[in-house]
Amino acid sequence: MLKQVLIAAVCGAVMLTAGILIGHYGISSGSSAPAWVKDVARDVDESLIEKFLSEVDNIQIQENLRELTKVPHMATTAGDERTVQLMLKRWQDPDTGLDQAWREEYMVYLSFPDPKNPNKVTVVSPSAAVLYTAREKEKLYGPDQDDPEVVQPYAAYAPAGHPQGKLVYANEGKPSDYQRLNQTLDLRGTIAITRYGGAGRAAKAINAAPYGVAGVLVYTDPLDINDGLMSDVNETYPHSWYLPPSGVERGSFTSRYGDLLTPYLAAKEETYRIPVENITGIPPIPIQPIGFEDAYALICELGGQPAPADWQGAFNCTYNFGGPGFKPTSAFNNSDVKLDIYNHEEVKNSSNVMGVIRGSVEPDRYVIYGNHRDSWVHGAIDPSSGTSVMLEVTRVLGRMVKQGKWRPRRSIIFGSWGAEEFGLIGSAEYTEQYFAKLSERTVAYINVDISVFANATLRASAIPSVQNVIFTAAKQVKAPGLDSTSVYDNWIRYANRTSAAHGTIPRVGFLTGAGSDYAAFVHYLGIASMDISYTYDRTKTNARIYPAYHTAYDTFDYAAKFIDPGFISHQAVARTAGNVLIRLADSLVLPLNCSDYAEILEMYLKNALHLYQDQLTAKNISMEPLKRAVAKFRSAATQLDQVIQGSDLANETPLKVRRINDQLMLLDRAFLDPLAFPEKYGYRHVIWASSGANLPTFPGLADSFANADLPELTGGWEKVHHQLSILSQAIEGAAHTLDDVI
Amino acid sequence: MLKQVLIAAVCGAVMLTAGILIGHYGISSGSSAPAWVKDVARDVDESLIEKFLSEVDNIQIQENLRELTKVPHMATTAGDERTVQLMLKRWQDPDTGLDQAWREEYMVYLSFPDPKNPNKVTVVSPSAAVLYTAREKEKLYGPDQDDPEVVQPYAAYAPAGHPQGKLVYANEGKPSDYQRLNQTLDLRGTIAITRYGGAGRAAKAINAAPYGVAGVLVYTDPLDINDGLMSDVNETYPHSWYLPPSGVERGSFTSRYGDLLTPYLAAKEETYRIPVENITGIPPIPIQPIGFEDAYALICELGGQPAPADWQGAFNCTYNFGGPGFKPTSAFNNSDVKLDIYNHEEVKNSSNVMGVIRGSVEPDRYVIYGNHRDSWVHGAIDPSSGTSVMLEVTRVLGRMVKQGKWRPRRSIIFGSWGAEEFGLIGSAEYTEQYFAKLSERTVAYINVDISVFANATLRASAIPSVQNVIFTAAKQVKAPGLDSTSVYDNWIRYANRTSAAHGTIPRVGFLTGAGSDYAAFVHYLGIASMDISYTYDRTKTNARIYPAYHTAYDTFDYAAKFIDPGFISHQAVARTAGNVLIRLADSLVLPLNCSDYAEILEMYLKNALHLYQDQLTAKNISMEPLKRAVAKFRSAATQLDQVIQGSDLANETPLKVRRINDQLMLLDRAFLDPLAFPEKYGYRHVIWASSGANLPTFPGLADSFANADLPELTGGWEKVHHQLSILSQAIEGAAHTLDDVI
């Protein structure tokens, strides 16, 4: 019996094993899982993120910055080409590079001063004697400022010309400023001196021209940039981060983004270009920026009545309106101010440098990470602090790819944009050229331009759906210099708000303007975007921006000594942005949260009802469709969130995950209306478009409401109603995309 | 021993079985294939198509038509509501209905005559005696014409008014016709009689107004509709399909599609509406259609010089220009023609009826099949021949779904559009309301409006990428009445062309206009669309269209006797369109062919080079970017085709198939430019937009070229260059979407 049992047992065991083997391997067709089944279900790998965070190196970032800022690299100069080569070399490196990297060239319309005929600002006596000449170049405090490639301060796109007239002080050059001044003075033929702030650069000249102003000066008041400090003997750079008296903010004086001659078309050699005289949004009269040293010499000599209290700056004199002109007691009495501006425009070849890591599972989904490469001078902070961070992110990720340790689920595209300083040109042309492809496939855009304004706290502006992934990432990164505090916990101390869903959370800003290369991605393409940096402790400074911004003092020395000694804030930004990037690229379900979007829409709606409902009701315009649209958006978002949370998505068909991801990815596309704002170039996003009203509510509604009763407009209230319908339909359309798909 | 062997054998067998079961089902994690693996790889089932084809029943179609045409069902009338209820009943049928069906309502701007004050056309003597009165209603040949709901013939959107003046004959009312007439006569204050054809309905009045014409009549000349036949004693309906003398073509006299008061916005109750006076593209002066019986009475009495030979119609008299007015020998000598038009506009509630079959694998991909439901009178052919076919398609598919025998891979949406006759309103409002969702997810749109114009051959107009699936389907359907010939083989005899890739193939038309509800899908959404029907043997008739079009004779009786006795052409269309629908919904790889698109772009390019290159070269405008763009499109298309053909897609990750399908699905979106044609409402597709030049080449280029040297335009050649850049960038952008995804 034992034998029988043994036979049976052995036989049974053999047969069982054979059966298992047959069953497992033999019944192949339709039953054993193809290799890709695991791949398509793979989620983000937290240990990989740990590895990434640990490998991001502050010294590498420091050396990137040192290399990037060796020479000035204004767009299309030899220094710019040097950075193109550097980016290509890094991204094509066999050990730490990307899958591919290449350049993309555009022929773009730029504006430069004439090195042989520098722009001049002089005080000229009635007998034509030159009584005073403003500096042509910034003062030398080190070898960087001595580089012959340091471009003279100028206002890009300001016309050449030689206006001469009595000086007046026009505060910030806002419409209200010129209006106020015009009540006191005849502005015809005058030269207006203005300070940075309050209005866009070009606006200071555009607002002046209707009053007959002949030319404009602009400077940075120490009140606005230096917390009042003025002396280079001990107070300003190289003694601190503050702007030296001769420092001048350069800039692009255009209100539009993208190449000015090729609206909505990529600026290739044979592309149609509009006639130069059709360009709008640039200064109609000459304008020139000067240092506060020179502004002091002019403003404190002005005659006429004292300007209002809120026009006064930090100079130790009363800011008068001007007689017009200087006061009788001044050595400049009866003298004019003369501008000799020799700017010229040129179509030049500007490059983006592009690099990619091909996605393994969904190569047709893109996460784009970008920053511009061009600077005004050495651009250590703007933009090279961001480029140094980007190069460190690509080094760490590139090495993992080259070592075969990682390949993202989705493709990652890196963009090193050209000619941003002239108007976000490289990124805008890129989006024009690849409009369809990028619209269809881009999951998100991460912009890290100036990565460190200051070393106090993280700052993020973003489309609401990406708020959460920034938070997740920031919680995993240590705050620089604070080993036991996360970037997130540090952030929440500096800027927070109360969310109905999340309680107290860091305050994330909105991307309503065109301050950096995210503009085309948000406003033209409707892509979930974010702009990330480290920034100020506002209890410690009121500076408009870091003081060396766009000057010859924005150098490696400045960055290393005063902005981020040890480059640990750079490192924190690299870790945070890189973490966000990996999560967007690798997560099974995209970390985009539509309920967070609903919360912001509800806030905008609340503000809109508060601001407009009474008057709209009186005009017989109902806000009910808008209310219904926001409510529908909320309920669709809640439902989609429930589907996500209620599903075991790793075990469902990958097409279900893709479906949900497409809903999340394409959400912002639904807010685009290319005809909503015909007068605003490049703004199609009905939630985030720029707005003159500048209120935390829907821009088209706010602007049309602000203008509804202007006497020069007819049908103003019809326009409000029209904007309300455009907006309601867009929000409802977005809600439809979140609804169950059929 | 036997026992032992038996024990061992039984035991072994049991264990083997157990092992197989354990091996197959037990080792689940990571190795046995999830159930969905088979589903996502499933391709179209040819036996199901066979089943579908065999179940499509001509008698069902006949009975559908009988039911649909019992009473007139002009948009928003009680008869229209009756058809709404019919559609809902059918689509909600528990045995043969769809998953879901519902109505969607819009408040749309329509135009009607006044039943209490019928429009009148009279001849009035100098002493105000009425010498002649045109018919107010069509002659009765059966009970259908006697229905009180038969709307009086009128020109929708023509203004009310009472113009009176001397009659002139203006041929087809084209700009050149009025120009010619104006060389001979002073047109101020005249009434112009025109015939249908040559120009759009509204254009006949719009073109007249600048010459001071006070009112317009329009009729259908027997030459253009009846192959010259005129007598209702034996030649016209009810003796044949030809138009009786009193038959009048009604129509919408607007050049735009969609609700006129809510451009780009779905016409909901509280939607912003433009002021009525801002509507463009409608007649500025009264216009009224009449029968040729009345036209004969007027035209043959006209004085003045004989009109040119190509202005002559089929009447047995010379068509004179008019003196202006009647000839001295006429009883109408010195008399005026007077129009009394009482049309009024109204915002009314119009419904679409929508129905869906939810997709099993990719519910977020839509194949849309639609037709309008509203008619002018009984609308047996227009549109009920199409609706009868749609109802038969949904009955057969619905039954398969309800029986659990089939569920499509992708979702199918059926649309029964309202108010098409007034300007494709229902479909346009639908695309406006669901713009984002439909843009993102729609694979194709199939339009079957008039399904049978005549019973000779299939006719298709389509986006080139769908040509191939129409061919595949047409090859599987027997031509009506020709058992051994396929619809495809029959078609190729009537209309063919030579393709470099395919040899001789049926000629497929282009969707360049707004002739039916495909317009918003093609021109506004950029969706691969097609319009399918059975049509004429052109060797047998020159009729502009089937003669009862838009008259009170377009009845079931007319359809059953003269258009498609036995309803076998209807059946062939149902089989062909349904086959296309199933293939689009079920194929693993979408049956959209981008190389066929390349072939048409190359043809357009060839024509453009032939037509424009010399003159553009002389103007220093290079066509090289366009050539490069088309070449790039071709090479990207070839490459994508190779990927498709070279892959074993049923065994690859479903995300790879989806990626390719997305490339194919979204191809036409890349051709959209919402700013390309600011003066053409709703036209965004740079390849298929309507064109005044009406040449087989790129519309923006053709139109800008035609106008480049017009003296009233400045910058005409700049516009040509601009259009060339828009076009080149769009084609190149489309090519980028076909390229390898990274």
Side-chain angles (χ1 to χ4, degrees):
Chain A
M1 200 53 200
L2 184 69
K3 194 179 168 194
Q4 285 172 13
V5 169
L6 195 68
I7 290 169
V10 168
C11 181
V14 168
M15 283 318 223
L16 180 67
T17 306
I20 290 172
L21 291 171
I22 290 168
H24 187 50
Y25 294 108
I27 309 182
S28 69
S29 89
S31 67
S32 90
W36 50 258
V37 168
K38 245 207 264 180
D39 297 336
V40 299
R42 193 172 295 131
D43 206 343
V44 66
D45 175 355
E46 292 293 341
S47 69
L48 183 120
I49 286 181
E50 284 307 320
K51 188 171 149 62
F52 169 82
L53 295 178
S54 73
E55 289 189 5
V56 168
D57 182 7
N58 54 328
I59 302 307
Q60 292 279 353
I61 296 174
Q62 172 187 296
E63 294 313 307
N64 290 341
L65 190 69
R66 197 191 302 277
E67 184 64 31
L68 282 163
T69 57
K70 275 205 172 128
V71 296
H73 47 106
M74 184 167 64
T76 74
T77 62
D80 185 25
E81 179 59 24
R82 192 182 158 278
T83 60
V84 168
Q85 295 304 332
L86 174 64
M87 300 304 296
L88 285 172
K89 185 166 161 261
R90 295 288 184 91
W91 288 354
Q92 290 171 346
D93 187 283
D95 297 323
T96 57
L98 309 174
D99 288 336
Q100 258 186 292
W102 66 96
R103 70 197 293 162
E104 300 239 14
E105 298 176 80
Y106 301 96
M107 300 295 294
V108 303
Y109 183 73
L110 304 181
S111 161
F112 300 101
D114 182 352
K116 288 180 195 143
N117 268 316
N119 294 340
K120 267 190 219 170
V121 177
T122 49
V123 176
V124 184
S125 77
S127 63
V130 174
L131 304 184
Y132 182 85
T133 302
R135 274 186 170 276
E136 283 173 15
K137 288 216 159 186
E138 285 142 321
K139 190 171 164 186
L140 273 56
Y141 296 106
D144 276 339
Q145 289 87 44
D146 203 23
D147 192 307
E149 290 299 310
V150 173
V151 71
Q152 189 200 8
Y154 74 111
Y157 302 111
H162 305 274
Q164 173 175 342
K166 297 282 179 277
L167 190 68
V168 297
Y169 173 57
N171 194 28
E172 294 174 322
K174 302 188 294 288
S176 60
D177 293 331
Y178 288 110
Q179 206 178 359
R180 172 70 192 82
L181 200 55
N182 191 53
Q183 287 163 8
T184 310
L185 294 172
D186 182 353
L187 291 173
R188 285 174 296 176
T190 60
I191 303 293
I193 184 165
T194 60
R195 54 184 174 134
Y196 274 120
R201 295 191 191 100
K204 292 172 199 289
I206 292 169
N207 298 338
Y211 295 99
V213 173
V216 178
L217 294 173
V218 57
Y219 78 103
T220 309
D221 198 281
L223 182 72
D224 301 319
I225 202 83
N226 276 1
D227 296 312
L229 301 182
M230 292 179 59
S231 163
D232 77 338
V233 175
N234 52 18
E235 294 177 332
T236 62
Y237 178 78
H239 307 286
S240 76
W241 82 325
Y242 287 122
L243 180 66
S246 71
V248 185
E249 178 183 322
R250 294 150 185 81
S252 178
F253 283 60
T254 161
S255 333
R256 242 199 55 190
Y257 71 85
D259 177 53
L260 293 175
L261 294 185
T262 57
Y264 302 115
L265 295 169
K268 296 290 176 179
E269 191 157 351
E270 285 153 322
T271 302
Y272 169 69
R273 285 172 166 76
I274 64 169
V276 166
E277 61 270 23
N278 290 2
I279 296 174
T280 55
I282 58 173
I285 53 176
I287 176 167
Q288 173 70 15
I290 58 175
F292 66 74
E293 170 181 52
D294 289 318
Y296 178 84
L298 299 175
I299 287 176
C300 289
E301 299 302 308
L302 277 175
Q305 299 171 28
D310 59 344
W311 290 33
Q312 301 297 319
F315 297 150
N316 59 355
C317 66
T318 299
Y319 293 52
N320 297 325
F321 284 141
F326 299 104
K327 51 191 166 193
T329 56
S330 166
F332 299 160
N333 182 29
N334 271 329
S335 295
D336 284 346
V337 167
K338 183 163 187 246
L339 275 59
D340 289 290
I341 307 300
Y342 298 96
N343 298 345
H344 65 284
E345 291 80 38
E346 244 180 294
V347 172
K348 295 198 76 181
N349 194 323
S350 170
S351 293
N352 294 336
V353 180
M354 306 303 302
V356 296
I357 303 175
R358 187 182 169 94
S360 56
V361 174
E362 296 181 275
D364 59 336
R365 287 296 175 262
Y366 308 151
V367 183
I368 307 182
Y369 180 119
N371 178 29
H372 67 103
R373 200 184 54 254
D374 66 305
S375 57
W376 281 115
V377 191
H378 299 82
I381 298 304
D382 182 8
S384 308
S385 64
T387 310
S388 306
V389 162
M390 178 159 69
L391 281 172
E392 178 59 0
V393 170
T394 58
R395 182 188 70 85
V396 177
L397 296 182
R399 196 163 63 170
M400 296 197 287
V401 169
K402 296 290 183 188
Q403 291 178 342
K405 290 186 178 158
W406 177 66
R407 181 161 291 284
R409 178 184 183 89
R410 304 180 180 88
S411 295
I412 301 177
I413 300 178
F414 292 95
S416 171
W417 315 120
E420 187 262 9
E421 292 295 1
F422 289 83
L424 323 181
I425 296 179
S427 56
E429 300 308 302
Y430 174 72
T431 58
E432 287 165 353
Q433 183 171 4
Y434 297 99
F435 182 83
K437 182 168 125 164
L438 296 175
S439 298
E440 293 165 6
R441 301 179 189 160
T442 309
V443 161
Y445 175 67
I446 303 169
N447 196 65
V448 181
D449 179 348
I450 295 171
S451 68
V452 182
F453 289 90
N455 52 19
T457 174
L458 196 75
R459 185 201 60 81
S461 298
I463 296 297
S465 50
V466 301
Q467 163 186 294
N468 195 55
V469 68
I470 300 174
F471 289 174
T472 306
K475 284 174 185 169
Q476 292 184 315
V477 177
K478 283 179 191 152
L482 301 167
D483 264 4
S484 56
T485 308
S486 70
V487 162
Y488 180 90
D489 288 335
N490 182 59
W491 184 11
I492 211 166
R493 283 193 222 141
Y494 285 91
N496 60 60
R497 70 172 179 97
T498 304
S499 150
H502 308 294
T504 303
I505 52 173
R507 189 165 359 95
V508 173
F510 299 144
L511 295 173
T512 52
S516 186
D517 291 301
Y518 55 77
F521 291 94
V522 173
H523 300 298
Y524 189 50
L525 289 176
I527 286 169
S529 299
M530 69 204 81
D531 186 58
I532 293 177
S533 59
Y534 238 69
T535 194
Y536 320 100
D537 178 350
R538 278 298 178 195
T539 65
K540 297 206 176 135
T541 180
N542 286 315
R544 279 177 54 236
I545 191 162
Y546 72 95
Y549 174 70
H550 287 195
T551 74
Y553 307 112
D554 187 353
T555 59
F556 179 81
D557 180 68
Y558 181 84
K561 281 199 187 124
F562 300 112
I563 298 289
D564 189 22
F567 290 86
I568 51 176
S569 295
H570 282 76
Q571 186 182 35
V573 171
R575 285 171 168 163
T576 308
N579 189 341
V580 169
L581 174 64
I582 296 170
R583 289 178 180 282
L584 285 163
D586 273 359
S587 296
L588 179 65
V589 178
L590 284 174
L592 301 175
N593 187 307
C594 51
S595 291
D596 286 342
Y597 219 129
E599 184 167 299
I600 299 298
L601 293 181
E602 283 163 351
M603 187 266 276
Y604 264 34
L605 173 65
K606 193 177 153 193
N607 293 343
L609 292 171
H610 174 71
L611 289 161
Y612 311 128
Q613 189 163 33
D614 288 352
Q615 274 187 267
L616 290 188
T617 304
K619 296 285 176 186
N620 225 350
I621 301 170
S622 168
M623 292 183 80
E624 290 304 317
L626 180 61
K627 285 197 229 172
R628 282 197 304 269
V630 173
K632 187 162 173 37
F633 187 98
R634 165 62 84 179
S635 99
T638 303
Q639 189 194 309
L640 182 57
D641 272 354
Q642 281 165 358
V643 169
I644 294 170
Q645 282 144 24
S647 308
D648 176 17
L649 289 172
N651 290 311
E652 293 220 44
T653 147
L655 294 175
K656 179 167 179 184
V657 185
R658 173 80 163 211
R659 182 199 324 161
I660 291 167
N661 283 341
D662 279 0
Q663 290 180 286
L664 295 169
M665 171 179 85
L666 295 172
L667 177 54
D668 273 278
R669 292 335 167 264
F671 289 118
L672 296 184
D673 182 336
L675 304 178
F677 312 112
E679 76 294 352
K680 286 186 197 165
Y681 180 85
Y683 287 99
R684 299 179 166 195
H685 198 300
V686 302
I687 311 298
W688 306 118
S690 75
S691 156
N694 203 19
L695 294 163
T697 191
F698 308 108
L701 188 56
D703 284 358
S704 60
F705 185 90
N707 296 329
D709 271 335
L710 288 188
E712 66 268 28
L713 284 179
T714 57
W717 291 101
E718 302 231 310
K719 289 208 174 83
V720 177
H721 191 180
H722 190 198
Q723 284 294 332
L724 201 56
S725 289
I726 286 172
L727 176 66
S728 308
Q729 177 161 306
I731 296 175
E732 206 173 304
H736 291 144
T737 70
L738 298 179
D739 268 343
D740 187 17
V741 294
I742 199 87
Chain B
M1 199 55 198
L2 184 69
K3 195 180 168 195
Q4 285 172 16
V5 170
L6 196 66
I7 289 170
V10 167
C11 182
V14 167
M15 284 317 227
L16 180 67
T17 305
I20 290 173
L21 291 172
I22 291 168
H24 188 50
Y25 294 107
I27 309 180
S28 68
S29 92
S31 67
S32 91
W36 49 259
V37 168
K38 244 206 263 179
D39 296 337
V40 298
R42 193 172 295 130
D43 207 343
V44 66
D45 176 353
E46 291 293 340
S47 70
L48 181 120
I49 287 181
E50 284 306 319
K51 187 171 149 65
F52 169 80
L53 295 179
S54 73
E55 289 188 6
V56 168
D57 182 7
N58 54 326
I59 302 307
Q60 291 279 354
I61 296 174
Q62 172 187 298
E63 294 313 306
N64 289 342
L65 190 69
R66 197 191 302 276
E67 184 66 30
L68 283 163
T69 57
K70 274 201 173 135
V71 296
H73 47 106
M74 184 167 63
T76 74
T77 63
D80 185 24
E81 178 59 24
R82 192 182 158 277
T83 60
V84 168
Q85 295 304 331
L86 174 63
M87 299 305 296
L88 284 172
K89 185 165 162 261
R90 294 289 184 90
W91 287 354
Q92 291 171 345
D93 187 284
D95 297 321
T96 59
L98 309 174
D99 288 335
Q100 257 187 293
W102 66 96
R103 69 196 293 160
E104 301 240 15
E105 297 176 82
Y106 301 97
M107 299 296 293
V108 303
Y109 183 74
L110 304 181
S111 162
F112 301 101
D114 181 353
K116 288 178 195 147
N117 267 316
N119 294 340
K120 267 190 219 170
V121 176
T122 49
V123 176
V124 183
S125 78
S127 63
V130 174
L131 304 183
Y132 183 85
T133 303
R135 274 185 170 278
E136 283 172 16
K137 288 216 158 187
E138 286 143 321
K139 190 171 164 184
L140 273 55
Y141 297 106
D144 276 339
Q145 289 87 45
D146 202 22
D147 192 307
E149 290 298 311
V150 173
V151 71
Q152 189 200 9
Y154 74 112
Y157 302 110
H162 305 276
Q164 174 175 342
K166 297 283 178 277
L167 190 69
V168 296
Y169 173 57
N171 194 30
E172 293 173 323
K174 301 188 295 289
S176 60
D177 293 332
Y178 288 110
Q179 205 178 0
R180 172 70 193 81
L181 200 55
N182 192 52
Q183 287 163 7
T184 310
L185 294 171
D186 182 352
L187 293 173
R188 285 175 295 177
T190 60
I191 304 293
I193 184 165
T194 61
R195 53 184 174 131
Y196 274 121
R201 295 190 190 102
K204 292 171 199 290
I206 292 170
N207 298 337
Y211 295 98
V213 172
V216 178
L217 295 172
V218 56
Y219 78 103
T220 309
D221 198 282
L223 182 71
D224 301 318
I225 202 82
N226 275 1
D227 296 312
L229 301 182
M230 292 180 57
S231 164
D232 78 338
V233 176
N234 52 19
E235 294 176 333
T236 62
Y237 179 79
H239 306 287
S240 76
W241 81 327
Y242 287 122
L243 181 66
S246 71
V248 185
E249 178 183 322
R250 294 150 185 80
S252 178
F253 283 60
T254 161
S255 332
R256 243 199 54 191
Y257 72 84
D259 177 52
L260 292 175
L261 294 185
T262 57
Y264 302 115
L265 294 169
K268 297 289 176 180
E269 192 157 351
E270 285 153 323
T271 302
Y272 169 69
R273 286 173 166 75
I274 64 169
V276 166
E277 60 270 25
N278 290 2
I279 296 175
T280 55
I282 59 173
I285 53 176
I287 176 168
Q288 173 70 15
I290 57 174
F292 66 74
E293 170 181 52
D294 289 318
Y296 177 85
L298 298 175
I299 287 176
C300 289
E301 299 301 308
L302 278 174
Q305 299 171 27
D310 59 344
W311 290 32
Q312 300 297 318
F315 297 152
N316 59 355
C317 67
T318 299
Y319 292 52
N320 297 325
F321 285 140
F326 300 105
K327 52 192 166 192
T329 56
S330 166
F332 300 160
N333 182 29
N334 271 328
S335 295
D336 283 345
V337 167
K338 184 167 186 240
L339 275 60
D340 290 290
I341 307 300
Y342 299 95
N343 298 345
H344 65 285
E345 291 79 37
E346 243 180 294
V347 172
K348 295 198 76 180
N349 194 324
S350 170
S351 294
N352 294 337
V353 179
M354 306 302 302
V356 297
I357 302 175
R358 186 182 169 94
S360 56
V361 174
E362 297 181 274
D364 58 337
R365 288 296 176 262
Y366 307 151
V367 183
I368 308 182
Y369 180 119
N371 178 30
H372 68 103
R373 199 184 56 254
D374 66 305
S375 57
W376 281 113
V377 192
H378 298 82
I381 297 304
D382 181 7
S384 308
S385 64
T387 310
S388 307
V389 162
M390 178 160 69
L391 281 173
E392 179 58 2
V393 169
T394 57
R395 182 189 69 87
V396 176
L397 297 181
R399 195 164 63 172
M400 296 198 288
V401 168
K402 296 291 182 187
Q403 291 177 343
K405 290 187 178 157
W406 177 67
R407 180 160 291 285
R409 177 184 185 90
R410 303 179 181 89
S411 295
I412 301 177
I413 300 178
F414 293 95
S416 171
W417 316 120
E420 187 262 11
E421 292 295 2
F422 288 84
L424 323 180
I425 296 179
S427 56
E429 299 309 301
Y430 173 72
T431 59
E432 286 165 353
Q433 182 170 5
Y434 297 99
F435 182 84
K437 180 168 126 162
L438 296 175
S439 297
E440 293 165 8
R441 302 178 189 161
T442 309
V443 162
Y445 175 67
I446 302 168
N447 196 65
V448 181
D449 179 348
I450 295 170
S451 68
V452 182
F453 290 89
N455 53 17
T457 174
L458 196 75
R459 185 200 62 82
S461 298
I463 296 296
S465 49
V466 301
Q467 164 186 295
N468 195 55
V469 68
I470 300 173
F471 289 174
T472 306
K475 284 174 184 169
Q476 293 184 313
V477 177
K478 282 179 192 153
L482 301 166
D483 264 3
S484 56
T485 307
S486 70
V487 161
Y488 180 89
D489 288 335
N490 181 60
W491 184 9
I492 211 168
R493 282 192 223 142
Y494 283 91
N496 61 60
R497 70 170 178 96
T498 305
S499 150
H502 308 293
T504 303
I505 52 174
R507 188 166 356 96
V508 173
F510 300 144
L511 296 173
T512 52
S516 186
D517 291 300
Y518 55 77
F521 292 92
V522 172
H523 299 298
Y524 189 50
L525 289 176
I527 286 169
S529 300
M530 69 203 83
D531 187 58
I532 294 178
S533 59
Y534 237 68
T535 194
Y536 320 100
D537 178 349
R538 278 298 178 195
T539 66
K540 296 202 177 139
T541 180
N542 285 314
R544 278 177 56 236
I545 191 163
Y546 71 97
Y549 174 72
H550 287 195
T551 74
Y553 307 112
D554 187 353
T555 58
F556 180 81
D557 180 66
Y558 181 83
K561 281 200 186 124
F562 299 112
I563 297 291
D564 188 23
F567 290 85
I568 51 175
S569 295
H570 283 75
Q571 186 182 35
V573 171
R575 285 172 169 163
T576 307
N579 189 341
V580 169
L581 174 64
I582 296 170
R583 289 179 180 282
L584 285 163
D586 273 357
S587 296
L588 179 64
V589 179
L590 284 174
L592 300 175
N593 187 309
C594 51
S595 291
D596 286 343
Y597 219 129
E599 184 168 301
I600 300 298
L601 293 181
E602 284 163 349
M603 187 266 277
Y604 264 34
L605 174 65
K606 193 177 153 194
N607 292 343
L609 292 171
H610 174 71
L611 288 162
Y612 311 128
Q613 189 163 32
D614 288 351
Q615 275 187 267
L616 290 188
T617 304
K619 295 285 176 186
N620 225 351
I621 301 170
S622 168
M623 293 183 79
E624 289 304 316
L626 180 61
K627 285 198 231 173
R628 281 198 304 267
V630 172
K632 186 160 174 37
F633 186 98
R634 165 62 84 178
S635 99
T638 303
Q639 189 195 307
L640 181 58
D641 272 353
Q642 282 165 357
V643 170
I644 295 170
Q645 282 144 24
S647 308
D648 177 17
L649 290 171
N651 289 313
E652 293 220 43
T653 148
L655 294 175
K656 177 164 181 186
V657 185
R658 173 80 163 213
R659 181 196 326 159
I660 291 166
N661 283 341
D662 279 0
Q663 291 180 286
L664 295 169
M665 171 180 84
L666 295 171
L667 177 55
D668 273 279
R669 292 335 167 263
F671 289 117
L672 296 184
D673 182 336
L675 304 178
F677 312 113
E679 75 295 351
K680 286 185 197 166
Y681 180 85
Y683 286 100
R684 299 180 164 195
H685 198 301
V686 301
I687 311 298
W688 305 117
S690 75
S691 156
N694 203 21
L695 294 162
T697 191
F698 308 108
L701 189 56
D703 284 358
S704 60
F705 186 90
N707 295 329
D709 271 334
L710 287 187
E712 66 268 29
L713 284 179
T714 57
W717 290 101
E718 301 230 310
K719 289 207 175 84
V720 176
H721 191 179
H722 191 198
Q723 285 294 332
L724 201 55
S725 290
I726 287 172
L727 177 65
S728 307
Q729 177 161 306
I731 296 175
E732 207 173 304
H736 291 144
T737 70
L738 298 179
D739 268 343
D740 188 16
V741 294
I742 198 90

